[in-house]
Amino acid sequence: MAGEHNEDPMAYGDYHERPEPDDGEGEYEGGERGFIGDTYRKFRGRYTGQASPGQPPNGGPGQASGLMSGLVSTLHGAVHGIGSEVRQRVSGKDRVSSHTHSGPDCDSSMHNSFQNRFGSFAAQRTGNDIKWFVDGCGYMWAVSRALEQARESIWILGWWLSPELYLRRPPIKNEQYRIDRMLQAAAQRGVRVNIIVYKEVTQALTRKFLTPTIPRYLHSLLPRHTDNLTSALSALGLAATFASLEYIESENQLMNPVVPVCSSHTKHALENLHPNISVFRHPDHLPDAQTIQSSLVSSLQNMSLSAKTATSLPLDALKAVYGMNEDVILYWAHHEKLCIVDGKTAFMGGLDLCYGRWDLNQHPIADCHPSNINDTVFPGQEYNNARVLDFQDVPHWQNNKLERTKNSRMGWSDVSVSLRGPVVEDLRAHFVERWNFIYNEKYDVRKDVRYSRLTFNQSEAGAYQQRPPSFPSAQAYPPSNAYSQPYSRQVDTDDAEAGSRGFGSSSGDEGRHHHHRPLQGEIDEMAGAVRDRFSDGVQRMGNSYEHHRHVYGGYQEAGIPCQIVRSCSMWSHGIPAEHSIQDAYIDIIERSQYFVYIENQFFITATSDAQKPVRNKIGAAIVRRILRAAKAGERYKVIVVIPAVPGFAGDLKDDASLGTRAIMEFQYNSINRGGHSIMEKIANEGFDPTEYIRFYNLRNYDRINTSGVMREAEQRSGVKFEDAQHQYNDAVELPAEYPSQGDDGQHRKFSMNRRMYNEYQQSTDAMEQQRGLGGGRWDSVSECYMLGGPDLRRVPWENGNMTEMDAFVSEELYVHSKVLIADDRVVICGSANLNDRSQNGNHDSEIAIIIEDPTPVDSFMNGRPWRATKFAATLRRQLFRKHLGLLQPQDMGRPDANFEPIGVPNIYDFGSEADRLVVDPLSDSFLSLWNSRAHENTQAFGKIFHPVPHDDVRTWKDYDDFYEYFFCKGETVAEGKEGTKVPAKYEWGHVVAEEFSPGQQGVREVKELLHTIKGTLVEMPLLFLIKEDIAKEGMGLNAFTEEVYT
């Protein structure tokens, strides 16, 4: 059923036809989503109707229907007018930001006036060392190494931290490397551990708190000359709107929290281990109802924006219900992923230290080990598939409900970095500012001796303006200190204060941001002292030489220039909004010469103000750069890799998946739909957008070992595998305060509950010595699509609890990276997604780093010699090779240099055959390999597993035929408390067997087709549901709530 993909004009703009509006009513059908519009349609649907066949269009009930329609239309118009007036008055839509978009979210009076490039709080610094980590295995090993060597402090800032997370695998061999035990051991050594985690929303803000205050206030905004009828209808409409919302929300909350984390468990599980461990949870979300009402009304009454009021007023006052004001922060999150050890070694990027993130380069999604449960890699809740069932009951680690004998896990593709050097000073400053801001706001009044402010003592490693070595063809990315073009803002370089933009200490005000501006004399004196101390001197590099510094006890003459950028604001950091990450993205894209690679969890952006509510203009920068190349006849490429579906559970067609569909709709409208997308903008200028920008997803497969080995072990022991597995999970996830070995009563009680595990394991002792399926060699077949992997067609199988056909599984490989690489020279890596939540500054808080390694690497670009830089080129090639299946499978038991923290450089096999295939991202040979492999993989997955989204699915009817028919339960056929439904023909993610011949011949056909899959790269289905409104408007998705999804 997965037919050939053909180029289709709908892929970039010629999308589904919209029905013509009914006469006199169309104006209320389209356009902006809103509560009032939804209520209008609800009323109209109830009190108006289509004429039945043969019934005259006029007379009888039709007249009453028409009268009601007219009344409701008048009602809607009046109430909608109030809403528009309120929106216009509170949103300040005519205000123009000095940055990237219009509206109150970004007014120049709200922002820090930092003189550093991109408006960042931090200057660019050189003298740094940095290395990359692709996926969680190596990264978490490196973190574990740093934690066990910590001597003074460990600072962690994260979206989520799972105390029971194993940083090394398999767990049974690495008990001491579980993060709670590592932090406990560090605290016992005298290390101070400070942790900040996002405090998730635990309840939705219901409209019942806001009635009747809000409708009464809105009604009071009517002009004094409003006639009595309109006034009465408006009051009725407002009352009906909020009453209906209150009723609906009593049954189905408009914005049920979807975040599965449990920060309370994190806090108490860790703080119970040692008094040296302090955990802050932030923000607090909901004050009492009276505070909510008074705060919101106060915002509504203040209709003018200033630097002060804008910090507490969201996009418009009504959005304060779901957004934030001075007292209420509902759906914005702390999203940084940062770990700093002893103030010297830092880790940052896309990987949180939490469940679901640890993974290998080959991304195995099966973890059944019937011959030895101790080989389990993903214990308990670590075996997770967010598309099937998100994390449940996190504090009770043993209650993992995803059956690993039937369901695959979801692989996790991510990128992080480890660094050391002067740039860590800015990360330290960021953490101290955040810690002290939260302390002052929340913890100071508690007078708990566990908590105290942090002090920040500036080391001598400041902003270092030494010019890195230059090399040919590097003009697009010249030395990038704060005062060099093309990235810098215009600053007077003769200013004596411009030498350093770092941080200094300040007594009594540690929570605020500081500028450290040494006098020129002090700089010269410092430079002289360094020259005297080092008799051999230091080579000056051009006229930009200023001074030299001691860095952590050792001198560095050069190093990698890096700059920290961030997104933060009043609610998250206690400062005016900063969106230097977005500014950096825009600037680097526009100044790129040949090529930009983006790998991100989301892709929601705007090309103009017409794409409200989306406001970040990264998409506009992409369009401008592509059109510049197209009009000049230059070759230029943008490659984007994102997830196929946001990682939330549920069938896309279910009402519960509204948020998932909303995100998908915003992404498609950013890419190729809606009239203002990137591809449509390019096509409107007469160019084929697919020649310049393409989008891809990742997907993989595996085989669950439910073979005859499992059946034999169950028969020998009399114990079901899943029962034994659950008791194993209980063992490895026991809280850290209970010793892994010992004689305490709790441990003895727990040991008694391991009877089934012990009996099962004893029955497999002889089997473990067997070769093949009994020896565990084929518990996963994920290495088969990697470089040098075995031929899947020759991998053995013995039917047991299920056939081999049923044992194969597939799932999207979830892209969680937040990386941009330009021209193999510049890298942005951090926590920021490509969407408004991460980029706008006043929503989620984020941190990222810009890396401009001066170390030259001979390479090629568009068939010509090109001087790339080592960090950017090796990271980009490593990612491309992984996606194409050109990396060898990673061995968790054999750590190499890429497992070590900073201090041990990355290793990369320059000049290998696989490396040569990905050297030139613009060459015809590479693009042919990349696109053909993505296409072949897509075709194979489509036929075998029928995954959605898929290009053959353009309507909901197609969705039913292609997907629901095979994988969703049928209608209820028997009455009962919950009813009985017809079971699905196939389990989620399993083979659609009827696409193949029966019996062993069908298995051979499946394995033959799977054998053609290399790597995990697949095409993004740009035609998926293109003839439908993916996220149908309604009470839960409208102009007041949709900003949460952008």
Side-chain angles (χ1 to χ4, degrees):
M1 295 182 65
E4 285 288 314
H5 171 76
N6 298 313
E7 293 295 344
D8 192 309
M10 289 194 297
Y12 47 93
D14 187 10
Y15 68 112
H16 64 284
E17 307 85 9
R18 297 191 182 275
E20 292 296 325
D22 297 333
D23 292 341
E25 298 179 355
E27 63 180 300
Y28 301 115
E29 279 296 301
E32 183 178 312
R33 295 185 168 102
F35 293 138
I36 297 168
D38 296 333
T39 304
Y40 164 77
R41 281 180 283 274
K42 191 181 186 78
F43 271 79
R44 194 193 65 179
R46 180 176 299 176
Y47 294 110
T48 65
Q50 299 294 330
S52 302
Q55 182 179 357
N58 300 313
Q63 290 181 338
S65 174
L67 176 62
M68 181 57 69
S69 176
L71 286 173
V72 175
S73 297
T74 303
L75 165 66
H76 176 270
V79 177
H80 189 274
I82 296 174
S84 298
E85 174 69 11
V86 172
R87 174 186 295 277
Q88 182 173 355
R89 291 170 67 185
V90 302
S91 67
K93 71 176 185 178
D94 295 328
R95 294 175 178 267
V96 178
S97 165
S98 62
H99 296 273
T100 56
H101 52 268
S102 62
D105 283 55
C106 176
D107 187 86
S108 57
S109 63
M110 295 171 55
H111 287 74
N112 287 309
S113 57
F114 298 127
Q115 297 300 311
N116 302 312
R117 63 174 184 166
F118 312 130
S120 174
F121 76 107
Q124 193 234 11
R125 299 169 182 259
T126 193
N128 305 292
D129 193 11
I130 189 166
K131 68 183 296 185
W132 46 255
F133 298 90
V134 175
D135 298 319
C137 176
Y139 176 76
M140 292 188 186
W141 182 290
V143 171
S144 74
R145 179 82 77 183
L147 293 182
E148 68 180 348
Q149 295 174 354
R151 293 296 177 265
E152 298 175 3
S153 65
I154 296 171
W155 295 351
I156 299 174
L157 171 57
W159 180 74
W160 187 18
L161 189 151
S162 301
E164 298 81 19
L165 175 74
Y166 284 85
L167 299 177
R168 301 187 188 184
R169 309 292 168 98
I172 201 72
K173 297 179 181 179
N174 293 284
E175 289 287 337
Q176 70 272 32
Y177 293 109
R178 206 173 78 171
I179 193 167
D180 53 358
R181 296 190 180 117
M182 297 205 74
L183 295 178
Q184 181 184 39
Q188 290 169 346
R189 296 195 302 268
V191 176
R192 294 289 304 181
V193 180
N194 297 75
I195 298 170
I196 303 171
V197 292
Y198 163 58
K199 183 178 179 180
E200 71 281 8
V201 181
T202 56
Q203 66 182 82
L205 176 62
T206 59
R207 292 264 182 256
K208 64 185 179 182
F209 290 157
L210 303 173
T211 55
T213 305
I214 298 306
R216 285 177 181 172
Y217 182 76
L218 289 175
H219 189 261
S220 74
L221 295 178
L222 279 174
R224 292 182 179 180
H225 56 76
T226 303
D227 62 274
N228 291 336
L229 176 60
T230 300
S231 178
L233 288 174
S234 297
L236 174 63
L238 287 165
T241 297
F242 280 86
S244 64
L245 287 172
E246 188 174 355
Y247 171 77
I248 289 172
E249 198 162 56
S250 69
E251 300 294 324
N252 181 24
Q253 289 183 341
L254 294 178
M255 289 290 297
N256 271 321
V258 297
V259 179
V261 305
C262 184
S263 60
S264 176
H265 172 63
T266 300
K267 178 181 179 66
H268 296 298
L270 293 178
E271 288 191 342
N272 288 343
L273 298 178
H274 198 278
N276 276 356
I277 301 176
S278 303
V279 182
F280 281 0
R281 302 163 65 216
H282 188 264
D284 288 332
H285 300 278
L286 295 178
D288 57 39
Q290 182 177 354
T291 303
I292 294 173
Q293 290 184 358
S294 62
S295 177
L296 187 58
V297 170
S298 175
S299 294
L300 281 165
Q301 289 172 339
N302 193 341
M303 290 300 178
S304 61
L305 285 177
S306 66
K308 182 178 180 181
T309 60
T311 59
S312 62
L313 192 66
L315 176 61
D316 59 51
L318 291 178
K319 282 187 181 177
V321 176
Y322 281 126
M324 80 140 203
N325 62 31
E326 186 175 344
D327 302 305
V328 184
I329 305 101
L330 278 179
Y331 288 99
W332 311 137
H334 291 302
H335 197 243
E336 297 101 323
K337 298 91 171 62
L338 177 63
C339 176
I340 306 173
V341 178
D342 291 338
K344 298 178 181 180
T345 300
F347 299 87
M348 62 182 296
L351 282 158
D352 276 295
L353 299 175
C354 67
Y355 288 146
R357 274 50 172 177
W358 191 97
D359 212 341
L360 294 157
N361 289 162
Q362 63 269 29
H363 302 286
I365 57 175
D367 194 34
C368 264
H369 305 275
S371 61
N372 185 7
I373 293 177
N374 288 340
D375 288 339
T376 297
V377 178
F378 303 94
Q381 295 188 76
E382 271 278 56
Y383 192 81
N384 170 257
N385 187 331
R387 291 289 301 128
V388 178
L389 180 70
D390 215 334
F391 295 103
Q392 302 288 319
D393 198 17
V394 172
H396 300 92
W397 64 93
Q398 67 274 23
N399 292 343
N400 180 57
K401 298 180 176 65
L402 188 66
E403 293 186 61
R404 65 183 67 216
T405 56
K406 295 181 179 179
N407 301 111
S408 73
R409 59 179 290 272
M410 185 169 69
W412 197 269
S413 184
D414 219 327
V415 176
S416 284
V417 297
S418 177
L419 56 146
R420 187 181 177 101
V423 75
V424 177
E425 295 294 292
D426 298 321
L427 295 175
R428 291 176 61 214
H430 179 77
F431 186 91
V432 170
E433 289 174 2
R434 177 70 51 79
W435 180 272
N436 289 343
F437 166 66
I438 297 172
Y439 177 85
N440 293 339
E441 177 185 89
K442 181 175 177 179
Y443 289 91
D444 187 21
V445 298
R446 303 185 184 188
K447 304 305 179 185
D448 188 328
V449 295
R450 182 189 293 267
Y451 310 120
S452 61
R453 292 183 180 89
L454 293 176
T455 57
F456 178 66
N457 298 316
Q458 170 78 23
S459 82
E460 292 183 345
Y464 189 17
Q465 307 302 335
Q466 179 172 312
R467 184 179 299 274
S470 60
F471 41 79
S473 302
Q475 290 79 9
Y477 300 103
S480 50
N481 59 66
Y483 313 105
S484 298
Q485 293 296 326
Y487 288 150
S488 65
R489 299 179 184 274
Q490 294 293 334
V491 178
D492 184 1
T493 55
D494 294 329
D495 184 356
E497 293 184 351
S500 177
R501 300 287 186 186
F503 297 94
S505 61
S506 176
S507 61
D509 196 23
E510 297 89 346
R512 296 195 173 274
H513 197 87
H514 309 294
H515 295 292
H516 177 55
R517 301 180 178 178
L519 299 176
Q520 188 65 45
E522 293 173 340
I523 298 174
D524 294 339
E525 182 180 355
M526 185 183 301
V530 172
R531 287 192 295 272
D532 292 342
R533 184 170 182 178
F534 293 88
S535 58
D536 58 341
V538 179
Q539 178 183 3
R540 297 191 179 193
M541 303 181 69
N543 295 328
S544 63
Y545 170 81
E546 293 183 42
H547 62 275
H548 307 285
R549 303 180 185 275
H550 294 285
V551 181
Y552 307 119
Y555 178 74
Q556 296 188 9
E557 176 182 328
I560 298 177
C562 299
Q563 183 183 8
I564 302 300
V565 286
R566 66 185 181 183
S567 294
C568 55
S569 63
M570 291 300 296
W571 84 260
S572 60
H573 211 76
I575 63 170
E578 177 180 338
H579 50 56
S580 51
I581 297 176
Q582 181 183 168
D583 291 352
Y585 264 76
I586 290 171
D587 198 78
I588 289 172
I589 289 169
E590 289 189 332
R591 296 184 186 278
S592 60
Q593 289 184 266
Y594 293 103
F595 170 75
V596 167
Y597 176 64
I598 295 172
E599 187 169 307
N600 206 285
Q601 183 183 1
F602 296 102
F603 192 88
I604 299 176
T605 186
T607 62
S608 70
D609 289 339
Q611 284 177 282
K612 291 181 179 179
V614 181
R615 295 183 177 275
N616 80 81
K617 296 302 191 301
I618 294 172
I622 292 173
V623 170
R624 286 194 296 269
R625 181 62 191 93
I626 288 175
L627 290 179
R628 194 167 81 237
K631 292 174 181 178
E634 299 170 347
R635 195 164 197 179
Y636 182 85
K637 300 287 183 182
V638 178
I639 292 178
V640 182
V641 174
I642 60 176
V645 182
F648 306 116
D651 179 6
L652 288 176
K653 201 173 183 180
D654 290 346
D655 291 341
S657 295
L658 172 64
T660 304
R661 296 198 308 273
I663 293 171
M664 294 178 71
E665 181 175 276
F666 283 123
Q667 292 194 153
Y668 280 122
N669 286 345
S670 300
I671 296 169
N672 72 320
R673 304 179 194 178
H676 303 282
S677 66
I678 291 172
M679 286 189 163
E680 289 170 296
K681 288 286 188 180
I682 297 168
N684 289 341
E685 294 293 323
F687 302 102
D688 180 356
T690 62
E691 289 295 315
Y692 298 92
I693 183 168
R694 294 207 176 199
F695 294 80
Y696 304 86
N697 306 140
L698 303 179
R699 174 168 285 275
N700 62 332
Y701 73 86
D702 211 332
R703 191 183 68 178
I704 301 174
N705 190 0
T706 53
S707 64
V709 175
M710 181 179 292
R711 181 175 60 187
E712 181 182 350
E714 290 179 339
Q715 290 173 347
R716 286 187 179 186
S717 64
V719 175
K720 289 290 186 181
F721 171 82
E722 284 285 4
D723 292 336
Q725 180 73 52
H726 283 313
Q727 290 195 344
Y728 166 86
N729 295 340
D730 292 347
V732 298
E733 295 195 330
L734 194 68
E737 58 260 36
Y738 303 136
S740 56
Q741 295 180 350
D743 296 325
D744 60 286
Q746 174 68 35
H747 186 67
R748 287 199 304 272
K749 179 180 177 181
F750 181 74
S751 298
M752 292 171 60
N753 292 333
R754 299 184 67 186
R755 178 187 59 81
M756 291 185 289
Y757 162 78
N758 290 329
E759 291 178 358
Y760 183 94
Q761 282 293 92
Q762 290 170 5
S763 72
T764 64
D765 287 345
M767 298 169 55
E768 190 178 3
Q769 306 304 317
Q770 301 175 11
R771 299 184 62 184
L773 291 168
R777 172 67 180 86
W778 302 113
D779 290 346
S780 170
V781 297
S782 57
E783 60 191 87
C784 292
Y785 48 75
M786 300 298 286
L787 181 67
D791 188 333
L792 179 66
R793 297 169 296 182
R794 295 178 172 82
V795 173
W797 178 264
E798 176 187 342
N799 284 340
N801 291 350
M802 65 173 62
T803 66
E804 186 175 17
M805 178 82 81
D806 293 333
F808 284 110
V809 288
S810 176
E811 184 54 86
E812 74 166 315
L813 173 53
Y814 198 64
V815 180
H816 193 258
S817 318
K818 296 91 169 57
V819 171
L820 180 148
I821 303 173
D823 295 333
D824 278 357
R825 286 179 174 170
V826 180
V827 175
I828 304 177
C829 180
S831 66
N833 292 316
L834 206 162
N835 59 9
D836 275 5
R837 291 190 61 130
S838 290
Q839 298 287 339
N840 282 2
N842 58 355
H843 292 177
D844 292 352
S845 62
E846 309 284 2
I847 196 83
I849 186 169
I850 304 167
I851 304 151
E852 297 170 85
D853 182 5
T855 308
V857 171
D858 290 331
S859 186
F860 289 89
M861 189 71 70
N862 196 23
R864 299 177 180 177
W866 176 254
R867 192 65 63 87
T869 63
K870 186 176 182 180
F871 184 91
T874 55
L875 175 58
R876 198 268 305 165
R877 294 182 195 181
Q878 185 85 356
L879 289 168
F880 277 22
R881 287 174 60 179
K882 189 185 77 153
H883 301 335
L884 292 168
L886 296 175
L887 283 183
Q888 292 185 345
Q890 198 172 23
D891 188 340
M892 74 186 92
R894 295 184 178 180
D896 57 24
N898 290 339
F899 284 57
E900 297 296 330
I902 192 63
V904 179
N906 286 119
I907 54 171
Y908 184 82
D909 55 344
F910 286 105
S912 66
E913 181 179 354
D915 175 57
R916 291 195 296 270
L917 292 173
V918 298
V919 164
D920 186 346
L922 261 62
S923 69
D924 290 336
S925 59
F926 165 77
L927 292 172
S928 175
L929 171 65
W930 182 268
N931 288 319
S932 63
R933 187 153 291 186
H935 180 70
E936 291 168 5
N937 290 350
T938 302
Q939 294 299 104
F941 280 120
K943 181 176 177 61
I944 300 170
F945 298 104
H946 282 230
V948 288
H950 193 277
D951 268 336
D952 285 352
V953 178
R954 304 187 185 186
T955 67
W956 286 117
K957 175 63 167 60
D958 295 338
Y959 185 89
D960 292 340
D961 295 340
F962 184 83
Y963 179 79
E964 291 244 325
Y965 171 78
F966 300 105
F967 297 106
C968 293
K969 294 180 180 180
E971 297 298 324
T972 301
V973 296
E975 293 299 328
K977 186 175 182 180
E978 297 182 356
T980 302
K981 291 188 175 182
V982 176
K985 300 186 72 172
Y986 304 101
E987 294 283 348
W988 179 306
H990 287 250
V991 176
V992 178
E994 57 201 71
E995 289 277 10
F996 303 93
S997 302
Q1000 284 302 115
Q1001 176 59 30
V1003 173
R1004 284 191 289 270
E1005 293 170 4
V1006 168
K1007 295 177 81 168
E1008 190 70 38
L1009 196 51
L1010 286 172
H1011 176 68
T1012 67
I1013 294 174
K1014 303 298 179 185
T1016 59
L1017 188 70
V1018 294
E1019 297 167 323
M1020 181 172 180
L1022 297 184
L1023 305 180
F1024 178 66
L1025 292 179
I1026 200 166
K1027 296 183 179 181
E1028 301 282 358
D1029 180 1
I1030 298 179
K1032 293 181 179 179
E1033 60 189 58
M1035 293 296 184
L1037 178 66
N1038 43 66
F1040 299 110
T1041 63
E1042 60 191 359
E1043 189 177 5
V1044 173
Y1045 299 111
T1046 65

